[in-house]
Amino acid sequence: MTDLRRPLVAGNWKMNGLRADGLARTRALVDKAGKRPPAIDILICPPATLLTTIGRALGGRRGAIALGAQDCAPRTSGAHTGDIAAPMLADAGCRYVILGHSERRGDHRETSALVRAKATAALDSGLTPIVCVGETAAQRRAGKTLAVVRNQLARSLPEAAVARPFVVAYEPVWAIGSGHTPTPAEVGKVHGALRAWLEGRLGERAAAVRLLYGGSVNGANAQALMAVANVDGGLIGGASLKVDEFWSICVATAGNRKTTRRPARKQGGKVKR
Ligand code: PGA
């Protein structure tokens, strides 16, 4: 049996952290991971100012915990004051970059077309994009959740993603930082729809794409959310700033680890549905 999708728990520190507290949090996590390495991938995405410092504390590219950024520019260099290009992030030791988070879509009016350009730049630089999608409360009330997330994914995923690794995070906008989450059944419905959409686009490669759930995940609800079919880990905001809570989410995710078989092939190489 092949484990196609090793779970990933990603901490999104957002605009939080100065050197001292960021380093203390990182060292405590590295210590926990060293003593009891869980059978999952762990990622930390600090603010850009801390990437090099935290990357070093994580032990560089060989460290057990990976480093990621929270955004990148759509272009690789040039006269773009304030922007940070994907090759710079790779050079700073990042392996992943979060793209299209609803806070960027909201605060900076990022469109899915821009997210797609950023994801292309990330893939070209060897980074794994974590492409975020999610509906607002009003879209949810109107029964548009599946249509919204499929549409965002279709418009945000670049052509290059057909052949390269990427991650998708489903983050309902209304669940982020609110203390409210969808039920496990609701999460399962969305993740199932996203997997089906990916199968239509990528064929059997869709089985290797990790689908994260994000939005008010904490130590108490992680076990139930991470046990849902097609949930391959979490994107964690507020709880990633508390070492013990973040660690308990990692442990709960590892405890729920699902083993995913490679999809059976029909004759002619088509995937069985
Ligand atoms: P939250 O944020 O865990 O604080 O809800 C998740 C995110 O925005 O990635």
Side-chain angles (χ1 to χ4, degrees):
M1 203 183 272
T2 328
D3 191 352
L4 268 182
R5 299 194 298 269
R6 187 175 158 93
L8 171 66
V9 175
N12 174 12
W13 289 4
K14 308 193 180 187
M15 199 173 69
N16 296 294
L18 299 178
R19 264 175 62 89
D21 59 290
L23 267 177
R25 202 181 295 140
T26 304
R27 287 184 181 135
L29 264 182
V30 167
D31 186 54
K32 283 182 185 291
K35 284 190 184 128
R36 206 179 135 203
I40 59 167
D41 289 338
I42 303 175
L43 166 67
I44 291 184
C45 302
T49 48
L50 292 183
L51 284 172
T52 316
T53 306
I54 301 300
R56 223 175 272 139
L58 289 173
R61 287 186 175 279
R62 297 224 183 106
I65 300 178
L67 180 72
Q70 300 174 14
D71 182 40
C72 73
R75 296 186 187 83
T76 49
S77 67
H80 304 288
T81 304
D83 282 355
I84 302 176
M88 296 171 176
L89 297 176
D91 189 49
C94 290
R95 291 188 240 169
Y96 295 82
V97 58
I98 300 169
L99 294 175
H101 190 284
S102 64
E103 286 153 12
R104 295 210 59 85
R105 291 181 189 261
D107 294 356
H108 301 280
R109 306 219 190 297
E110 288 196 0
T111 60
S112 290
L114 179 60
V115 175
R116 171 187 272 173
K118 291 180 173 196
T120 303
L123 289 167
D124 287 348
S125 305
L127 297 173
T128 299
I130 301 177
V131 177
C132 303
V133 298
E135 83 287 0
T136 63
Q139 289 165 334
R140 180 179 193 234
R141 278 195 301 274
K144 292 187 178 153
T145 298
L146 295 185
V148 167
V149 298
R150 277 193 291 242
N151 185 41
Q152 282 179 330
L153 192 55
R155 288 168 192 266
S156 303
L157 268 194
E159 274 311 310
V162 171
R164 311 281 287 278
F166 66 95
V167 176
V168 176
Y170 168 53
E171 297 206 307
V173 180
W174 54 270
I176 294 175
S178 67
H180 301 296
T181 63
T183 63
E186 286 168 326
V187 172
K189 200 168 155 198
V190 176
H191 279 234
L194 290 173
R195 179 81 59 208
W197 186 89
L198 287 167
E199 279 168 2
R201 170 91 185 257
L202 306 177
E204 68 180 38
R205 270 211 62 236
V209 177
R210 289 182 289 190
L211 301 180
L212 310 185
Y213 168 77
S216 294
V217 179
N218 57 39
N221 62 23
Q223 189 143 28
L225 289 166
M226 298 301 138
V228 173
N230 285 306
V231 173
D232 309 305
L235 182 53
I236 318 301
S240 72
L241 298 172
K242 300 173 208 144
V243 173
D244 288 341
E245 185 137 25
F246 185 64
W247 189 250
S248 70
I249 295 168
C250 293
V251 170
T253 306
N256 276 333
R257 191 173 164 181
K258 314 163 187 94
T259 304
T260 315
R261 287 170 183 276
R262 259 173 215 289
R265 282 165 181 264
K266 272 188 193 166
Q267 271 191 338
K270 288 265 189 228
V271 183
K272 264 186 197 157
R273 304 260 156 78

